[in-house]
Amino acid sequence: MASFNFTHFVMTFLLLVSIVHFTSAARRLTEQDQPLLFKYHNGHLLTGKISINLIWYGNFKPSQRAIVSDFITSLSPSAESVAKNQPSVSKWWKATEKYYHLTHSKKSSDLELFLGTQISDESYSLGKSLSNKQIVELASKGGQKDAINVVLTSADVAVDGFCSSRCGTHGSSVSAQKMMNAKDSRFAYIWVGNSETQCPGQCAWPFHQPIYGPQGSPLVAPNNDVGIDGMVINLASLLAGTATNPFGNGYFQGPKEAPLEAGSACNGVYGKGAYPGYAGDLLVDSTSGASYNAHGVNGRKYLVPALFDPSTSACSTLV
């Protein structure tokens, strides 16, 4: 299993050097003193229509599931007009296209994500303490052709490394197609945990007080759910990493075991003017006071991370 370090700790790029291998590099990106040069390792990128299958493990409210599923739906190009307001989640995702343009592939480089099947495991079939192997087992329950299977664990589920070194991972695993000698025998997967009760100061910042560093007031979560809005941030970053480096040989900088990717290179940056402890200049809902930077379908608002722009070697934000 190819596993990647967590995508969102509040002060990852400054204060958790002992945990996160790419902290200093992310700090340099923010300060723009030594731009990174991402390398393409000649591997496959995800192309065509890819379904995002959600595997819900544990106890999730219908309202929580709707927040995440609406986010996935918002990624589609067709959601651009549905969102009505700008900037949109779809516009944010469109920034990943720059990686595809750089490959100069003769094949179609279009990538379109859409919400696929949703599987619920409310009985905690594998218990409430999961290993990495069990995460892959859960991810395997989703369709494995032209898909990214996303395992979402509820707030009462412990996962190896969760909170101590990561908020989520992405990787790939051998699919059942290998038995049929299929050309592509791997499928991509993502795991993200709900950190509401276990480590919100690490994995749900800036919607919770950070455990380290400057103690600014937490921002109001756009969907009024600190744990789920935090999951969306991490899921967004991991999706960008999965699309541009699905099998560990796509676009990244640094060691393969702890790579800087399209989303993880810009940890802690959400708007212009971001610095350690400050997420940046964001949009604020006049009614709820919630902070966000992207509009989604069904009137949703989300906070999505800055993405590394390979054409400028800098973090690119929506606002």
Side-chain angles (χ1 to χ4, degrees):
M1 180 187 71
S3 179
F4 298 81
N5 283 338
F6 65 95
T7 62
H8 177 71
F9 267 25
V10 49
M11 299 301 291
T12 51
F13 58 106
L14 178 65
L15 301 167
L16 301 181
V17 179
S18 62
I19 297 178
V20 187
H21 299 289
F22 48 81
T23 299
S24 60
R27 180 186 176 189
R28 287 198 300 272
L29 270 177
T30 304
E31 296 176 346
Q32 297 183 344
D33 54 359
Q34 293 185 17
L36 289 172
L37 296 176
F38 270 37
K39 181 180 179 181
Y40 177 48
H41 298 266
N42 300 314
H44 291 293
L45 306 185
L46 296 184
T47 59
K49 292 187 176 181
I50 302 293
S51 64
I52 307 297
N53 302 315
L54 304 179
I55 296 96
W56 300 93
Y57 188 82
N59 182 27
F60 287 94
K61 300 176 183 177
S63 59
Q64 293 179 317
R65 297 184 186 187
I67 293 170
V68 177
S69 59
D70 281 349
F71 174 72
I72 299 300
T73 301
S74 300
L75 293 166
S76 171
S78 61
E80 188 78 17
S81 59
V82 178
K84 297 182 180 179
N85 296 315
Q86 292 294 333
S88 68
V89 171
S90 178
K91 180 181 179 181
W92 169 80
W93 181 253
K94 192 175 179 64
T96 61
E97 291 181 0
K98 292 186 177 182
Y99 288 87
Y100 290 79
H101 297 160
L102 291 175
T103 63
H104 303 294
S105 173
K106 295 181 180 180
K107 298 180 180 180
S108 173
S109 60
D110 292 338
L111 170 64
E112 183 176 348
L113 303 182
F114 64 94
L115 181 63
T117 60
Q118 299 193 53
I119 300 170
S120 180
D121 188 340
E122 297 180 358
S123 64
Y124 302 88
S125 63
L126 299 180
K128 291 188 176 183
S129 182
L130 303 178
S131 65
N132 291 327
K133 183 178 180 180
Q134 289 174 314
I135 290 295
V136 177
E137 181 180 342
L138 289 171
S140 299
K141 292 184 177 182
Q144 298 170 12
K145 180 177 174 55
D146 297 326
I148 301 174
N149 293 333
V150 179
V151 178
L152 302 139
T153 52
S154 59
D156 56 348
V157 176
V159 177
D160 283 354
F162 188 30
C163 294
S164 65
S165 64
R166 58 185 182 172
C167 303
T169 58
H170 83 79
S172 62
S173 182
V174 177
S175 72
Q177 295 177 17
K178 185 176 182 180
M179 303 300 293
M180 299 180 288
N181 296 317
K183 182 178 180 180
D184 188 355
S185 62
R186 295 171 296 175
F187 71 93
Y189 70 87
I190 290 173
W191 158 72
V192 182
N194 186 334
S195 65
E196 180 182 7
T197 57
Q198 296 187 52
C199 54
Q202 293 166 298
C203 298
W205 185 84
F207 303 130
H208 190 279
Q209 201 79 11
I211 60 173
Y212 301 110
Q215 297 296 300
S217 299
L219 304 180
V220 177
N223 295 286
N224 198 34
D225 191 313
V226 170
I228 298 298
D229 279 302
M231 290 184 83
V232 168
I233 290 174
N234 294 305
L235 175 57
S237 181
L238 288 164
L239 279 170
T242 300
T244 57
N245 186 32
F247 307 119
N249 54 7
Y251 281 100
F252 65 89
Q253 194 272 347
K256 181 178 181 179
E257 296 75 21
L260 275 170
E261 298 177 325
S264 62
C266 299
N267 280 338
V269 179
Y270 300 96
K272 289 181 174 60
Y275 56 81
Y278 178 62
D281 302 328
L282 304 176
L283 302 175
V284 178
D285 186 280
S286 59
T287 302
S288 66
S291 295
Y292 67 100
N293 59 8
H295 293 270
V297 300
N298 295 326
R300 296 282 187 189
K301 296 178 176 66
Y302 296 101
L303 186 65
V304 292
L307 295 179
F308 179 77
D309 187 333
S311 64
T312 62
S313 296
C315 293
S316 177
T317 62
L318 278 177
V319 296

